Amino acid sequence: MIKKMRYPLIASLVVMCILINSCKRDNTDNISTLLTTGYWQLGSLTQLDYIGDTQLGDTTYVCDTVQTFTFNKDGSCNFVNFACATNTANGTWNLSDTRLFLNANITEPDSTGKPYQPFANSRIANLGEYSLVLETGDIQNYYSTTDRRRIFRWGFVRRRTSTK
């Protein structure tokens, strides 16, 4: 009799363990953790021009100054040497509900002197352990075949904070 009860009891325990473990919630946010570990150094900035989905050309911007983007766990961020200028632009950041867009309210003057927020609604094109690619500009999902679009692709490489 005990041998007959052993298998259903073991099966019941296994099912119960699976149900209990499936109900656990992990409050860690992997994307936030990736963003806030170390800082991000700008590796490339490319401007892509389109009409509809036809690419007209691209321009790569070159800067001799090291530019870094730092995300802090408290929601603050800063961009050092934005647009090759010797400055530090500060702001706050958050992720959209879908975790596909980064919203950072860093404000810098554009080429005409008007306030400009380059990362106000930037699409996360790629995020990995050592790389981050953000797209800004005309990044709408739906556009007509005659729409002119300009997309800026920011490529960053992670740098770890040194521990001395």
Side-chain angles (χ1 to χ4, degrees), residues 121-162:
N121 187 32
S122 53
R123 179 173 43 213
I124 300 173
N126 184 30
L127 175 60
E129 185 75 23
Y130 301 105
S131 66
L132 167 65
V133 178
L134 298 175
E135 292 179 342
T136 62
D138 302 320
I139 57 173
Q140 69 273 11
N141 289 328
Y142 304 103
Y143 47 86
S144 75
T145 57
T146 58
D147 285 346
R148 288 189 160 276
R149 302 182 300 130
R150 177 166 284 168
I151 297 174
F152 293 92
R153 185 170 290 149
W154 305 74
F156 295 92
V157 177
R158 179 196 310 283
R159 299 289 187 219
R160 301 257 184 214
T161 305
S162 64

Side-chain angles (χ1 to χ4, degrees), residues 29-41:
D29 180 2
N30 293 338
I31 295 175
S32 295
T33 301
L34 281 172
L35 288 173
T36 59
T37 303
Y39 62 93
W40 297 92
Q41 181 176 328

Side-chain angles (χ1 to χ4, degrees), residues 78-140:
N78 63 54
F79 200 115
V80 177
N81 299 329
F82 184 80
C84 295
T86 305
N87 62 5
T88 300
N90 297 306
T92 59
W93 70 277
N94 62 36
L95 295 169
S96 66
D97 291 340
T98 62
R99 304 285 193 241
L100 298 175
F101 290 88
L102 169 72
N103 300 302
N105 66 359
I106 291 175
T107 304
E108 279 294 307
D110 66 7
S111 58
T112 64
K114 289 193 255 181
Y116 166 61
Q117 290 186 331
F119 304 103
N121 187 32
S122 53
R123 179 173 43 213
I124 300 173
N126 184 30
L127 175 60
E129 185 75 23
Y130 301 105
S131 66
L132 167 65
V133 178
L134 298 175
E135 292 179 342
T136 62
D138 302 320
I139 57 173
Q140 69 273 11

Side-chain angles (χ1 to χ4, degrees), residues 45-50 55-61 151:
L45 174 57
T46 305
Q47 171 186 316
L48 305 161
D49 293 309
Y50 294 90
Q55 185 175 340
L56 302 176
D58 60 37
T59 304
T60 300
Y61 295 96
I151 297 174

